[in-house]
Amino acid sequence: MSEQITQEQIVEMDINFLRTFKDHPFKVTADYPMIQLKESIENCGILTPLLVRPLKDGSYEIISGHRRKHAAQMLGLKTVPVIIRKMGYDDAIVTMVDANLQRDIILPSEKAFAYKMKYEAMRRTVKKKKLHPEDEYSNSLIGKRTVEILSEEGFDSPKQIQRYLKIADMIPEMLEKLDYGLISFHPAFEIAFLKPNEQRMLLDAMDYAQSAPSVSQAQRIKKLSQMNKLTLEAMQNILSEVKKGDLERVAFKSGQLRQFFPRDWTVDQMKQEILRILNEHMEQEYKNHDVNGGKGHV
């Protein structure tokens, strides 16, 4: 390993040679941290080089640094500093996930797919142990559950990691609601046990009731699914129940909001648009203040 480190050097690379990591689970968006990163690079340059690995076609796959590349492109930079490291795909997955899990803000769907990628890569490593018995890292995994190793190398308990692995089974539309905060994490975990068509029915039921399921409601819905008795009407009835916390919630009648949106928009679309506008407003407020430096160069 020490020989590899001495051979690695920081080089300036044409940004056009860089490729996004295959199935990269972390979104690169123009959020407030990206504004901070862009301003930091503009003032100080890229302080931490990107980590890349060579591909057979002559391009380089980014292992760590997708956000830095995006910020550099926004600034019109033609080259970026990189460290080139020869790595197999599974080793690259582990390194990529570990680097990104250190970020301050991670969406639930990002963490779910990141854990799933690393989980599957580690399990493949264990299987290779039979072919390479001298591999100490592979040998250390034998006899331990993969989720326990993931927990030791990260910040979540084995049980929480198992929840994230299950969350990865949710349909994209439901994951989006989780990311937007329209569904809480623990109800989402219960929802993940539903079949894809049942999750889509649940979306319709949520739109009908203008409500997201609580943990207990999600558990009841899951139980009906396991008994093959789940229907749209049953979900509508469950979600239409008055929840304890709803007595103090802020609520608008749909008629009060319709004047501001296209007539064919659903209630859920209006909610998401309101959240998007509020988020943009917050970003603009931050941008209007002096921003010195930046963080989160992953």
Side-chain angles (χ1 to χ4, degrees), residues 273-290:
E273 181 65 9
I274 291 170
L275 288 171
R276 185 190 67 79
I277 293 171
L278 289 173
N279 187 54
E280 284 188 356
H281 175 72
M282 182 177 292
E283 289 176 7
Q284 189 60 44
E285 286 294 310
Y286 280 124
K287 194 174 180 181
N288 289 338
H289 290 79
D290 292 331

Side-chain angles (χ1 to χ4, degrees), residues 51 63-64 85 87 90-100:
L51 178 62
I63 297 173
S64 173
R85 183 176 299 171
M87 302 179 73
D90 286 340
D91 287 337
I93 286 176
V94 172
T95 303
M96 179 273 294
V97 170
D98 287 348
N100 281 277

Side-chain angles (χ1 to χ4, degrees), residues 235-250:
M235 287 189 282
Q236 289 174 338
N237 290 336
I238 290 173
L239 294 181
S240 295
E241 299 169 351
V242 177
K243 301 190 192 78
K244 205 172 187 181
D246 284 351
L247 299 175
E248 298 180 356
R249 69 177 178 175
V250 177

Side-chain angles (χ1 to χ4, degrees), residues 212-235:
S214 64
V215 175
S216 61
Q217 288 175 330
Q219 289 173 339
R220 287 161 58 193
I221 289 171
K222 181 179 75 171
K223 187 173 183 179
L224 286 174
S225 172
Q226 293 170 338
M227 297 169 62
N228 293 319
K229 294 182 178 180
L230 186 60
T231 64
L232 175 61
E233 183 179 4
M235 287 189 282

Side-chain angles (χ1 to χ4, degrees), residues 236-272:
Q236 289 174 338
N237 290 336
I238 290 173
L239 294 181
S240 295
E241 299 169 351
V242 177
K243 301 190 192 78
K244 205 172 187 181
D246 284 351
L247 299 175
E248 298 180 356
R249 69 177 178 175
V250 177
F252 291 93
K253 294 181 179 178
S254 60
Q256 294 175 297
L257 300 175
R258 289 287 178 194
Q259 58 181 313
F260 302 106
F261 299 96
R263 295 181 64 181
D264 59 342
W265 277 33
T266 64
V267 171
D268 188 58
Q269 285 176 309
M270 290 190 289
K271 286 180 181 178
Q272 293 192 26

Side-chain angles (χ1 to χ4, degrees), residues 28-240:
V28 177
T29 57
D31 51 14
Y32 176 58
M34 180 61 72
I35 294 171
Q36 286 184 305
L37 177 57
K38 176 175 170 285
E39 293 182 354
S40 173
I41 292 175
E42 188 173 25
N43 294 328
C44 309
I46 297 179
L47 302 178
T48 305
L50 286 69
L51 178 62
V52 303
R53 72 180 188 121
L55 299 177
K56 292 181 180 179
D57 63 0
S59 63
Y60 294 83
E61 187 175 51
I62 302 173
I63 297 173
S64 173
H66 292 81
R67 297 177 67 251
R68 276 165 278 167
K69 177 199 172 188
H70 183 74
Q73 287 177 314
M74 292 171 66
L75 291 168
L77 301 182
K78 302 300 181 184
T79 64
V80 293
V82 305
I83 295 175
I84 302 173
R85 183 176 299 171
K86 292 183 179 180
M87 302 179 73
Y89 181 55
D90 286 340
D91 287 337
I93 286 176
V94 172
T95 303
M96 179 273 294
V97 170
D98 287 348
N100 281 277
L101 285 178
Q102 297 176 24
R103 284 163 49 178
D104 292 332
I105 301 174
I106 304 176
L107 295 173
S109 66
E110 292 177 326
K111 186 177 277 193
F113 287 119
Y115 274 139
K116 183 177 180 180
M117 288 182 72
K118 185 175 178 181
Y119 176 84
E120 292 174 348
M122 292 173 68
R123 287 179 66 84
R124 286 193 294 268
T125 300
V126 171
K127 289 181 180 179
K128 291 176 184 176
K129 171 65 176 68
K130 294 180 180 179
L131 298 177
H132 303 282
E134 74 283 357
D135 187 337
E136 293 183 7
Y137 177 69
S138 297
N139 191 48
S140 69
L141 298 179
I142 301 300
K144 270 195 173 182
R145 297 170 64 217
T146 308
V147 290
E148 292 174 351
I149 301 293
L150 280 170
S151 180
E152 291 173 1
E153 297 179 352
F155 304 98
D156 293 302
S157 67
K159 190 169 185 179
Q160 185 70 349
I161 289 173
Q162 287 178 319
R163 293 190 184 104
Y164 274 112
L165 292 173
K166 188 61 185 177
I167 286 289
D169 292 339
M170 293 173 69
I171 62 174
E173 300 91 331
M174 199 65 80
L175 277 169
E176 189 175 73
K177 287 189 177 296
L178 176 60
D179 286 342
Y180 271 106
L182 300 174
I183 301 177
S184 299
F185 182 84
H186 290 290
F189 169 68
E190 303 295 339
I191 291 169
F193 287 89
L194 303 182
K195 303 178 184 71
N197 66 307
E198 292 174 333
Q199 292 185 40
R200 294 187 183 92
M201 279 200 304
L202 178 56
L203 288 171
D204 291 335
M206 290 168 61
D207 188 45
Y208 169 85
Q210 298 187 36
S211 178
S214 64
V215 175
S216 61
Q217 288 175 330
Q219 289 173 339
R220 287 161 58 193
I221 289 171
K222 181 179 75 171
K223 187 173 183 179
L224 286 174
S225 172
Q226 293 170 338
M227 297 169 62
N228 293 319
K229 294 182 178 180
L230 186 60
T231 64
L232 175 61
E233 183 179 4
M235 287 189 282
Q236 289 174 338
N237 290 336
I238 290 173
L239 294 181
S240 295

